[in-house]
Amino acid sequence: MIEPHAPAPPGTRSPWPGPARLPVRPGTGRFLVLAGVFVCAACGLVYELELVALASYLIGDSVTQASVVLSVMVFAMGIGSLAAKRLRPHAAAGFGAIEAVLALVGGSSALGLYAVFAWTGDWGGMWANGPRALLVAFSLTIGLLIGAEVPLLMELIQRIRRQDAGGAVADLFAADYVGALVGGLAFPFLLLPLLGQLTAALITGAVNAVVGGALVLGLFRRDLSRRARWLLVIANVTVLGVLASAAVLVDDFERAARHAVYGRDVRVAVQTDIQEVVITGGTQGRPLDLFLDGRLRVSGRDARRYHEALVHPAMSGEHTRVLILGGGDGLAAREVLRHPGVHRVDVVELDAGVVRLAREDPPLSRLNGHVYDDPRVHAMTDDAFRWLRAAPPSTYDVVISDLPDPGITASTKLYSQEFYALARRALTPHGRLAVHAGPVSIRPRVFWTVDTTLHTAGLRTAPYRVRGRDSGFTAGPDRSTGPARAPHDWGFILAGRQEPPALRLGAGAPRLQTLTQTGLTADARAAEGTRVWGLGASTLVHPRY
């Protein structure tokens, strides 16, 4: 039952402005407000997820980026709720203004972050510097605006129909949480695959502006002065114009940003179901570079040096059956097939798009020696962990782990004790496992943690490293560029089931261009000189990278 509001005592100001003058019945008005809460909550969660996804893509280490963005946002929401208390007497106008600003900031946040990354490339340094500070600023601003929505929406609901505070809060949060669920599911399953991060954020901002503006100007317009109505109309039209213009120009912006990041020699740029794949060069004598999510994974200047060092030490011995984990570009398989006696090579690559490019892109297929045309090579699209779990024991003579660096959160499980235990089971008794374990010079603790983890899984190891040239060819945990931060070596670990395998190329090894037995021995001594003692093993429940 709705109790009539008691009038304020004479000479005092009423804390309640009185019922809203609605153009519809109160029940319909209340439903429309809750529907607006639902949509705005969905938009707010899309902004949060978009910041997390883009920061993880641009910086790496998704756990850290998610923790920073979400913790800053939640903190800011509390501050925003407190600050919005002063706007309660002007709840309709305040809510309309907040939604317009939120739509502009949230909708353009992805564009701003990507622009700063593309044209500065400065993701190093302290959190207070450069684009990292912009990420925190966007998280803080969006959190403040989302937090300010709650007390204003509560005021609007109460002005439609007074009810006990507990019931009003329950209704408001029910709509808010259901909207968050829809936004959280729509972002990865609908918006991101269909529209991409930039367009998805812009369209979400437009929806936010339309719903917020329509709710205030349509339902509560009688509570606004003529001047306030015009200001809100102008603000929302301006925001929608900015977002629409950005959406029209987003393809041109993306091309310009891609050229700023990769240079003007971009030949292929595709978004697969897993990652962004960019290929530069490969024609007219220019070296081919392959980038996966912005990280240089194949450099035409250094690809042979890296793959010879990864593959050939492991091929000294029986190598009839070989498993390559990762390596969808086909370059590790190219080196494997140079050895006589190879009967079968299984390539397990998570991204079918990379394998497709390795087959069909003429410069890349020429670089890998057209390995996928060889009947001995069998490519499977699967997760390496899942594949090893299903592999029969003692299946392979050689397992080559050509996977992204363990510093990338998504790859951490592929450098765990559990993963290496599965790899050990898949090896024959005298089989060998070759692991790319990241650069030694700039991340020695990561490299030696991989070595410790292999030991804990029951494998005996022979670590070594190989120096590259100057390309910074790595799959490291960040997107840093430039000679100051680019790694100049690669760390590898050769492991065996029963005893430490000998680092030798073997009498029947093919003629190599970059690797010699003398160099390999020196590389092993160089790696040993960087050893870090006392490190723990990395497991699925306790990752240490």
Side-chain angles (χ1 to χ4, degrees), residues 149-172:
E149 292 174 335
V150 176
L152 300 183
L153 286 166
M154 177 68 72
E155 185 72 17
L156 293 177
I157 288 177
Q158 291 286 58
R159 289 199 59 203
I160 292 175
R161 187 177 68 189
R162 297 295 286 180
Q163 65 182 110
D164 65 282
V169 168
D171 292 341
L172 179 66

Side-chain angles (χ1 to χ4, degrees), residues 103-329:
L104 180 62
V105 174
S108 61
S109 58
L111 213 61
L113 282 173
Y114 194 52
V116 172
F117 165 74
W119 277 281
T120 70
D122 179 22
W123 289 93
M126 302 276 297
W127 272 94
N129 297 331
R132 292 181 188 265
L134 184 62
L135 173 67
V136 174
F138 272 125
S139 304
L140 189 65
T141 304
I142 292 173
L144 287 170
L145 295 170
I146 292 175
E149 292 174 335
V150 176
L152 300 183
L153 286 166
M154 177 68 72
E155 185 72 17
L156 293 177
I157 288 177
Q158 291 286 58
R159 289 199 59 203
I160 292 175
R161 187 177 68 189
R162 297 295 286 180
Q163 65 182 110
D164 65 282
V169 168
D171 292 341
L172 179 66
F173 283 159
D176 185 81
Y177 293 155
V178 174
L181 171 67
V182 172
L185 295 177
F187 179 72
F189 295 114
L190 182 64
L191 298 177
L192 194 57
L194 293 182
L195 302 174
Q197 296 198 53
L198 303 184
T199 305
L202 292 169
I203 289 180
T204 301
V207 171
N208 200 162
V210 168
V211 171
L215 185 64
V216 173
L217 294 170
L219 197 59
F220 294 97
R221 64 178 181 271
R222 295 175 183 172
D223 285 3
L224 304 173
S225 66
R226 182 182 179 87
R227 181 170 179 269
R229 286 198 296 269
W230 275 109
L231 286 175
L232 284 178
V233 169
I234 292 171
N236 279 280
V237 169
T238 302
V239 168
L240 289 173
V242 170
L243 296 176
S245 300
V248 170
L249 298 173
V250 72
D251 289 339
D252 294 334
F253 167 84
E254 223 175 326
R255 279 192 293 271
R258 190 177 292 120
H259 288 152
V261 174
Y262 302 109
R264 296 205 164 266
D265 200 17
V266 175
R267 190 169 49 77
V268 176
V270 296
Q271 180 68 48
T272 71
D273 294 337
I274 307 296
Q275 60 201 336
E276 181 190 54
V277 181
V278 173
I279 300 177
T280 65
T283 59
Q284 300 178 352
R286 294 187 295 270
L288 181 146
D289 290 338
L290 170 66
F291 297 84
L292 302 181
D293 272 350
R295 298 175 179 88
L296 182 60
R297 284 294 287 130
V298 171
S299 169
R301 301 174 185 87
D302 270 336
R304 188 169 294 278
R305 184 184 301 266
Y306 168 87
H307 289 95
E308 284 189 352
L310 171 66
V311 171
H312 292 288
M315 298 295 287
S316 177
E318 180 64 32
H319 49 254
T320 303
R321 295 161 297 175
V322 179
L323 171 65
I324 299 175
L325 302 173
D329 49 58

